[in-house]
């Protein structure tokens, strides 16, 4: 098992941002975590990477990453997991890329064995992008450049936190196709964190639906939802009215 | 209600919108869709009188420039994408809603504010709240209420739901649909999502990357 988290909690004072969530993902597997703003889905992703900062407190009955118990892991052990075992892709490349460093230097900073040009080719970007700064890229190019950095270290799992919500629909579709292509080529697992239940059902065979920090339902993508909140999320997806 | 004749917008030598023409009858709504950078929001800003343009914009058959500013502001109003950025953080809801009434020297402010809050489904006690005390959906309802204060005929909606959660988006779409039929409003709506546009608008203009309208889709969808 790549990730095995049982009864995972993240507390900020009296508030439980993540409340007793169980999650497991095999190598090459795909799982989506769906919920609205404040449901705890991004905090869950951060907890799986040891990125919850104080005053947040993470606790769990079990938290294993590639078979290693991470419950009392030292910062250096988390550092070893981040990037190499788990790569994190966030919503908006503008906040993830260093604005005063060229894309090529940022990729080279990962100390990956792959040349920068090959990293860019992996995400369908031309070698010329290496000389550009983040503000010189479109939103879609920025997101690809960031994905190139994440993939440079060949992680076993990609946590994609709203990877397409800052992009317009055609670019979002291209980005998801690119992620799927890279996943298949590398046998990489995907944990997709999204508010878009339609995207989650199209991309992953299994979903966890979160509300107020709790996993209210775990279901197969094609299964009929039982929880009223899951049903409401599905009903709220806009459909063509013509 | 609104006619655009060969509307073009260029800023700093860069052409953002190229020869866009369409007509909207009173009560009719039109959706502008297209990729980022195709000039959708620029068209809205031109109609709102916020930027210079070439070509012609006719509001109720009269050129936009011929309308006195305050009179024009009573006829059309704008709802922006991000309610966080559209409300003054240190003004209460009551103060935000009173702003257009003060500018237009209108009386019965308390009554008008209460009516607007009821129209958008907000409780009256929200008046004393500040934007940071409201949820995203409540904030967008306040922005819509403010746009309705002067009883406009046309609302310019720039991605009014894209900053909101799915369930909140569904509520705001229900609200906009209800207001459209109860007040006979016209919407000029910018959105990325075709399903949202078809829900609110009978007409669609699809913009391409060059800021030009795709005339093939310029027609009735339903």
């Amino acid at each position: 098992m790549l990730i095995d988290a049982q009864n995972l909690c993240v507390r900020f004072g009296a508030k439980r941002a993540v409340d007793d969530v169980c999650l497991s993902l095999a190598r090459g597997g795909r799982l989506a975590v769906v919920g609205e703003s404040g449901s705890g889905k991004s905090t869950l992703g951060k907890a799986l990477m040891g990125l919850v900062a104080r005053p947040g407190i993470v606790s769990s009955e079990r938290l294993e990453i590639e078979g290693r118990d991470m419950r009392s892991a030292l910062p250096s052990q988390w550092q070893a997991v981040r990037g190499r075992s788990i790569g994190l892709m966030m919503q908006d490349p503008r906040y993830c890329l260093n604005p005063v460093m060229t894309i090529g230097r940022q990729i080279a900073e990962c100390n990956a064995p792959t040349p920068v040009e090959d990293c860019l080719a992996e995400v369908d970007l031309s070698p010329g992008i290496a000389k550009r700064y983040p503000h010189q890229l479109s939103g879609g190019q920025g997101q690809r450049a960031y994905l190139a950095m994440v993939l440079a270290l060949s992680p076993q799992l990609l946590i994609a936190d709203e990877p397409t919500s800052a992009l317009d629909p055609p670019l979002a579709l291209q980005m998801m196709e690119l992620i799927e292509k890279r996943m298949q080529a590398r046998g990489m697992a995907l944990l997709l964190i999204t508010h878009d239940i339609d995207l989650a059902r199209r991309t992953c065979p299994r979903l966890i639906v979160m509300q107020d920090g709790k996993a209210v339902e775990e279901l197969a993508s094609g299964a009929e939802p039982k929880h009223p909140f899951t049903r409401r999320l599905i009903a709220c997806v806009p459909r063509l009215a013509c | 209600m609104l006619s655009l004749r060969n509307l073009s917008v260029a800023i700093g030598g860069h052409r953002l919108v190229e020869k866009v023409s369409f007509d909207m009858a009173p009560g009719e709504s039109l959706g502008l869709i297209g990729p980022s950078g195709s000039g959708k929001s620029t068209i809205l800003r031109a109609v709102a009188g916020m930027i210079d343009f070439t070509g012609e914009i006719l509001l109720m058959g009269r050129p936009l420039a011929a309308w006195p500013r305050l009179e024009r502001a009573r006829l059309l109003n704008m709802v922006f994408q991000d309610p966080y950025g559209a409300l003054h953080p240190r003004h209460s809801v009551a103060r935000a809603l009173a702003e257009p009434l003060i500018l237009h020297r209108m009386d019965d402010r308390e009554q008008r504010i209460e009516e607007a809050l009821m129209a958008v489904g907000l409780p009256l006690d929200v008046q004393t709240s500040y934007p940071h005390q409201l949820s995203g959906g409540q904030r967008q309802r306040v922005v819509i209420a403010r746009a309705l204060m002067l009883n406009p005929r046309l609302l310019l909606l720039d991605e009014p739901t894209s900053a909101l959660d799915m369930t909140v988006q569904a509520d705001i779409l229900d609200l906009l649909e209800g207001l459209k039929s109860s007040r006979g409003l016209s919407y000029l709506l910018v959105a990325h999502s075709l399903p949202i546009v078809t829900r609110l608008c009978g007409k669609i203009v699809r913009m391409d990357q060059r800021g030009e309208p795709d005339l093939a889709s310029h027609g009735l969808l339903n």
Side-chain angles (χ1 to χ4, degrees), chain A residues 49-224:
Chain A
M49 295 191 76
L51 286 173
V52 175
R54 287 194 177 276
I57 296 171
V58 182
S59 62
S60 62
E61 271 181 27
R62 183 160 64 229
L63 179 56
E64 289 179 4
I65 296 173
E66 295 190 294
R68 281 167 292 181
D69 187 351
M70 301 301 288
R71 281 176 300 172
S72 49
L74 298 168
S76 58
Q77 290 171 297
W78 276 114
Q79 192 70 42
V81 162
R82 286 196 287 267
R84 296 192 188 278
S85 295
I86 307 177
L88 176 65
M89 192 179 173
M90 313 250 278
Q91 178 176 355
D92 197 333
R94 283 173 301 181
Y95 304 122
C96 303
L97 297 168
N98 185 338
V100 293
M101 199 185 268
T102 62
I103 298 299
R105 272 190 65 198
Q106 292 186 58
I107 295 174
E109 227 185 17
C110 300
N111 290 324
T114 326
V116 169
E117 290 74 23
D118 293 356
C119 292
L120 289 171
E122 278 265 298
V123 294
D124 303 337
L125 285 176
S126 63
I129 294 286
K131 293 193 182 110
R132 296 209 201 156
Y133 288 89
H135 75 273
Q136 295 173 309
L137 306 182
S138 69
Q141 286 173 327
Q143 195 66 304
R144 277 165 196 267
Y146 188 66
L147 180 62
M149 284 172 65
V150 174
L151 295 179
L153 292 172
S154 304
Q156 293 296 308
L157 167 67
L158 174 68
I159 298 182
D161 189 352
E162 301 279 10
T164 59
S165 44
L167 305 174
D168 59 31
L171 285 178
L173 189 65
Q174 282 176 23
M175 179 52 69
M176 282 317 297
E177 282 173 358
L178 179 64
I179 290 174
E180 293 210 21
K181 205 162 73 177
R182 290 296 131 230
M183 278 180 60
Q184 278 166 9
R186 293 160 169 254
M188 188 172 66
L190 174 71
L191 181 68
L192 175 66
I193 296 172
T194 178
H195 70 284
D196 184 346
I197 196 161
D198 216 26
L199 174 72
R201 291 171 101 196
R202 275 185 276 123
T203 312
C204 300
R206 261 193 321 137
L207 322 177
I208 290 177
V209 179
M210 287 189 68
Q211 186 184 26
D212 298 329
K214 289 188 191 314
V216 295
E217 188 166 12
E218 180 167 356
L219 72 163
S221 290
E224 195 60 37

Side-chain angles (χ1 to χ4, degrees), chain B residues 53 155 219:
Chain B
F53 57 87
L155 280 191

Side-chain angles (χ1 to χ4, degrees), chain B residues 20 24 35 57 61 68 85 113 123 127 141 146 153 163 166 189 197 211:
Chain B
V20 173
M24 287 168 63
I57 298 177
I113 288 171
Q127 288 185 66
R141 283 176 194 265
R146 186 177 58 185
R153 310 308 314 145
M166 284 284 192
L189 167 72
V197 173

